[in-house]
């Protein structure tokens, strides 16, 4: 299935394209998809998405069709999914 993926914040600046479409198999674990995407992008992107152990950062925000996902819960991508938004934490005051 085709999934629209949008990067926001610093991730959008760290990539060549902040929004694109990718073929994804239904049932794919979201963290596995994020690791694959990190392997496709540059070092700056990887540092924002993965920790020093190569795992997805615990503060990474991911929404699937407008619903926030808990990455530690083993979330998968259902066949009805159309859009995924990925954003690193925002700091500031």
């Amino acid at each position: 299935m085709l999934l629209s993926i949008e990067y926001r914040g610093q991730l959008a600046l760290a990539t060549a394209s902040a929004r694109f479409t990718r073929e994804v198999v239904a049932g794919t674990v979201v963290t596995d998809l994020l690791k694959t995407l990190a392997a496709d992008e540059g070092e700056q992107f990887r540092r924002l998405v993965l920790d020093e152990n190569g795992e997805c950062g615990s503060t990474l925000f991911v929404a699937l069709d407008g619903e926030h996902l808990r990455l530690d819960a083993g979330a998968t991508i259902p066949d009805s999914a159309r859009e995924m938004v990925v954003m690193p934490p925002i700091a500031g005051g």
Side-chain angles (χ1 to χ4, degrees):
M1 70 179 187
L2 287 177
L3 183 67
S4 174
I5 300 172
E6 181 179 350
Y7 301 135
R8 294 191 181 159
Q10 291 175 309
L11 286 179
L13 299 173
T15 62
S17 178
R19 186 177 190 94
F20 60 96
T21 304
R22 184 178 182 113
E23 186 71 32
V24 177
V25 176
T28 297
V29 176
V30 174
T31 54
D32 290 344
L33 175 57
L34 291 170
K35 289 175 187 177
T36 299
L37 294 170
D40 292 345
E41 299 292 348
E43 182 61 27
Q44 182 181 4
F45 182 92
R46 282 190 291 278
R47 284 194 313 263
L48 292 167
V49 173
L50 304 178
D51 64 18
E52 61 277 352
N53 298 317
E55 297 300 321
C56 291
S58 61
T59 59
L60 194 63
F61 175 85
V62 178
L64 195 57
D65 292 332
E67 296 290 324
H68 177 246
L69 298 178
R70 289 196 47 195
L71 296 181
D72 61 349
T76 60
I77 299 176
D79 59 358
S80 62
R82 297 293 169 248
E83 179 183 57
M84 183 170 81
V85 174
V86 185
M87 184 171 66
I90 298 173

